[in-house]
Amino acid sequence: MITKSPITILFLIITAMLMQGCIEDGIDTSSSSQPLFSTETVDLGTVFTGERTPTTRLMVYNRHDKVMNISDISLHGGDDCFRINVDGMAGREFKDVEIRPKDSIYIFVDALLPEMDRPIPAERVGHIDFVTNGVTTSVKLQAVGQDVVRLRGKSLDADTRLDNTYPYQVFDSLIVEKDVTLTIPKGTKLHFHDRSYMRVYGTLVTEGTFDAPVDLCGDRMGNVVGEIPFDLMASQWQGLEFAAGSRDNNLSHTFVRNTVGGVVANRGTDIRFLNCRLRNSARYPLSAAHADIRLIGCEIADGGEGVMKLTGGNVVANHCTFANYYLFSPIRGAMVQFEHYDAASSDGSGLPVLSADFSNCIFYGLGTELSVKSFASDNTVGDSENGVCFRHCLFGSNGSDDANFIDCVWGMDPLYGTVRDEYLFDYRLRPGSPAINTADPALTHPDAATDIYGIHRLPTPNLGAYQSVCDFFE
């Protein structure tokens, strides 16, 4: 009789277990054993030609109980614009890629789209083929390329009219020198790269229309993460600054967004904004110090420190919407802030105090609406009269009329078409809003006859910037 030692028995048990594990982990050769994918289409979005797209991840899953052998993974189509990296290895074709049971691998995809010499965006399409147990499955790849004119540290020393055939991408800076006028025609888009800025010493004229606005924004496209688009992100570029003494600026149907500092108007500047949208600034979408500002039919929204800061100067705002639902940090100040509006708030400049008239406007959003709710009448700074006045405006906070607040609507929600948790920021009014048809038509400025969308206000205008209604909430 042969007896086995305990060590021999243990060895046999371990060997049997390993053999059983090898059987369980054997390669599944059934044609029904196929990989699953995190998406059927890898969409790389719209990018400027000549620049590589952000990298997108594709997950390939083995949901089965045995090893899956993908005999061939190959990249096809797209005129060689696409490239892939399979589980850490770059190439166009990969053989015998194994995925353990209940496991997955990563495939990283990006693209470099060549210039096309055409103003209209064009789509490039490719696909990745996976051959598993004799069956071929495919994942589509797609990207849209847009040709662009690139400006690098551009300084304009003569009157210039931009060509709106192609969008522009601005690196470093775009400067309008003193005594020079830059005219931006309707439909022009300027995309500013990280840390770039635009500064106007002379004059800026934009000719946007309701169906072809002028757009100044960042150059990041697609989504930051998940469903959050870069369009909502501030701090993508520095912003638009009007240097001291810049004159005769007229901005029509112009959108300025994604900035660090928004639109800044320095001492002695004058700017006319008609049906403009200034939003998404890490600081203020609009700040002005001792400047002459007119805002007609404008939306000023979403700033980390507030949406507008006024220090002295002369300001007129008619049919404007002031709103703050800034997304990416706590809001650090009142929505609209006032300085140098009387002797007590003087900045020591000796210049006239703030003269401001707000009519048929809406002030509503997160936090405090105004930094000052009681304006003094001591006009000892400079020789200007203190004229800070709100006429027929809607406020979300409770209050009462006085010499500075005339015929105002207090404690009402204007029902914006905004759902912050769903990253929807639409400051048009929903049906049933108390601001619909309740503005004073006698206060509607002639230039405010139509809103940003080209909708006529009269004879029964809405309060705020928008006559058009956010009807998808019906």
Side-chain angles (χ1 to χ4, degrees):
M1 178 178 177
I2 300 176
T3 59
K4 296 182 175 66
S5 69
I7 295 177
T8 301
I9 294 173
L10 179 60
F11 173 78
L12 293 173
I13 292 173
I14 292 174
T15 301
M17 292 175 63
L18 290 174
M19 291 179 63
Q20 183 177 2
C22 290
I23 293 172
E24 289 179 352
D25 286 353
I27 295 175
D28 193 337
T29 59
S30 171
S31 61
S32 63
S33 178
Q34 296 296 318
L36 297 177
F37 307 101
S38 56
T39 182
E40 296 180 354
T41 300
V42 176
D43 186 355
L44 299 175
T46 300
V47 294
F48 295 134
T49 56
E51 295 183 4
R52 192 163 293 281
T53 70
T55 299
T56 299
R57 184 178 67 183
L58 171 69
M59 298 292 295
V60 184
Y61 302 101
N62 175 11
R63 301 299 194 195
H64 302 278
D65 296 326
K66 293 185 177 182
V67 173
M68 176 181 293
N69 180 66
I70 304 177
S71 57
D72 186 83
I73 300 176
S74 54
L75 176 62
H76 300 279
D79 297 329
D80 296 331
C81 295
F82 298 97
R83 67 177 183 178
I84 60 174
N85 182 302
V86 177
D87 223 19
M89 299 293 292
R92 295 189 62 84
E93 188 169 12
F94 306 83
K95 298 291 186 180
D96 297 322
V97 178
E98 293 189 352
I99 309 178
R100 291 186 59 80
K102 310 298 184 182
D103 205 348
S104 61
I105 62 171
Y106 295 99
I107 296 181
F108 296 98
V109 184
D110 66 8
L112 178 62
L113 306 185
E115 294 185 3
M116 303 172 295
D117 195 26
R118 53 176 287 178
I120 301 174
E123 184 180 57
R124 295 294 180 98
V125 176
H127 56 94
I128 306 173
D129 287 342
F130 299 81
V131 180
T132 310
N133 298 327
V135 178
T136 301
T137 53
S138 298
V139 172
K140 181 181 177 182
L141 310 177
Q142 63 184 32
V144 176
Q146 170 69 66
D147 281 353
V148 65
V149 175
R150 292 183 171 88
L151 303 177
R152 300 180 184 274
K154 185 70 172 178
S155 180
L156 303 177
D157 56 8
D159 291 352
T160 302
R161 182 181 181 86
L162 295 183
D163 184 340
N164 64 1
T165 303
Y166 291 93
Y168 294 82
Q169 187 179 26
V170 179
F171 293 86
D172 185 43
S173 60
L174 175 60
I175 306 296
V176 182
E177 298 289 0
K178 187 177 180 180
D179 299 324
V180 171
T181 297
L182 170 62
T183 302
I184 304 179
K186 66 179 184 179
T188 305
K189 294 185 177 182
L190 286 85
H191 299 267
F192 290 81
H193 195 62
D194 183 34
R195 300 185 182 180
S196 63
Y197 62 92
M198 182 175 179
R199 183 174 295 138
V200 180
Y201 293 93
T203 300
L204 175 63
V205 176
T206 66
E207 300 175 337
T209 62
F210 77 90
D211 56 347
V214 169
D215 198 3
L216 282 66
C217 60
D219 66 353
R220 301 291 299 274
M221 302 182 187
N223 291 342
V224 184
V225 63
E227 298 300 317
I228 305 176
F230 273 107
D231 183 56
L232 297 180
M233 291 290 293
S235 300
Q236 294 187 46
W237 61 291
Q238 293 300 308
L240 169 61
E241 180 182 3
F242 293 87
S246 172
R247 306 295 296 174
D248 301 322
N249 299 286
N250 283 280
L251 278 63
S252 173
H253 292 82
T254 299
F255 304 158
V256 184
R257 51 201 171 94
N258 314 132
T259 63
V260 173
V263 177
V264 177
N266 288 302
R267 180 182 296 187
T269 62
D270 74 277
I271 313 171
R272 304 293 181 263
F273 297 89
L274 174 62
N275 290 342
C276 292
R277 183 180 291 146
L278 314 179
R279 63 159 62 174
N280 291 342
S281 172
R283 296 174 186 165
Y284 302 95
L286 175 62
S287 58
H290 304 292
D292 186 354
I293 304 294
R294 186 174 72 168
L295 298 160
I296 305 296
C298 295
E299 174 198 307
I300 317 294
D302 301 332
E305 296 186 12
V307 302
M308 186 168 71
K309 182 178 181 180
L310 301 175
T311 302
N314 295 284
V315 178
V316 172
N318 181 244
H319 279 288
C320 291
T321 293
F322 299 92
N324 204 0
Y325 287 86
Y326 189 71
L327 188 61
F328 294 102
S329 74
I331 299 170
R332 297 179 290 279
M335 185 184 304
V336 180
Q337 300 169 26
F338 304 94
E339 293 185 2
H340 196 79
Y341 57 88
D342 62 6
S345 62
S346 170
D347 63 1
S349 65
L351 294 172
V353 296
L354 174 66
S355 174
D357 181 78
F358 297 86
S359 56
N360 283 344
C361 294
I362 295 175
F363 299 83
Y364 189 88
L366 300 177
T368 304
E369 292 152 0
L370 305 179
S371 66
V372 178
K373 290 190 176 180
S374 178
F375 293 88
S377 58
D378 181 4
N379 305 321
T380 60
V381 178
D383 57 2
S384 173
E385 294 184 359
N386 180 351
V388 182
C389 184
F390 301 85
R391 296 181 294 154
H392 208 78
C393 293
L394 182 149
F395 296 92
S397 60
N398 292 317
S400 59
D401 289 352
D402 58 21
N404 300 103
F405 297 86
I406 301 168
D407 194 25
C408 289
V409 179
W410 298 96
M412 298 294 287
D413 183 345
L415 299 179
Y416 296 139
T418 295
V419 185
R420 190 169 183 262
D421 292 343
E422 298 179 10
Y423 313 116
L424 176 64
F425 297 86
D426 189 331
Y427 293 110
R428 292 178 295 171
L429 305 173
R430 303 187 193 187
S433 166
I436 292 177
N437 299 340
T438 56
D440 183 347
L443 297 177
T444 298
H445 193 281
D447 288 345
T450 59
D451 74 356
I452 290 176
Y453 292 94
I455 306 300
H456 289 277
R457 296 187 195 276
L458 298 175
T460 53
N462 297 344
L463 289 169
Y466 297 105
Q467 192 68 18
S468 49
V469 176
C470 190
D471 55 7
F472 52 80
F473 281 95
E474 288 184 326

